[in-house]
Amino acid sequence: MAEMIHADLGPELEAVVLNLIESGKYSSRTQVLRESEELRDWREAKGRAFTELLERRLATPSSDYIPVEEAFDRLYRDLGITGEDSE
């Protein structure tokens, strides 16, 4: 069995965690931390996918360049990112 780790989150993060538990969204500190780990992994995967796609697009011959706004619209669409996700 894994050893329990106790960490001081500081007053601000502890208040956020307690608020999430008290609101009923989560049942324990462990659940909050697991979810935050999953979200961090998801965000990092999206960042890696974005970087890889950007690198592939930058390898495109210059005659195929498009305006930057269109390029980001395509990148976001290809990655399934909506306006709310990119903020």
Side-chain angles (χ1 to χ4, degrees):
M1 182 174 186
E3 180 182 336
M4 282 293 256
I5 298 173
H6 298 278
D8 179 15
L9 299 177
E12 290 179 15
L13 283 177
E14 184 67 24
V16 170
V17 170
L18 290 175
N19 185 29
L20 289 167
I21 294 168
E22 290 170 1
S23 72
K25 292 180 182 176
Y26 297 90
S27 62
S28 67
R29 286 177 171 84
T30 300
Q31 189 180 21
V32 173
L33 294 174
R34 281 187 186 135
E35 177 80 7
S36 69
E37 176 81 8
E38 290 172 9
L39 289 171
R40 183 187 58 97
D41 291 346
W42 174 85
R43 185 182 66 228
E44 288 176 357
K46 286 288 191 176
R48 283 190 304 272
F50 183 84
T51 300
E52 290 167 7
L53 184 56
L54 185 58
E55 287 171 352
R56 284 195 310 272
R57 296 285 170 92
L58 289 174
T60 302
S62 62
S63 63
D64 293 337
Y65 283 175
I66 58 174
V68 69
E69 295 84 8
E70 184 180 344
F72 277 104
D73 288 344
R74 286 185 188 182
L75 286 169
Y76 290 142
R77 186 179 58 246
D78 290 352
L79 292 169
I81 298 173
T82 62
E84 296 85 40
D85 294 336
S86 60
E87 295 177 6

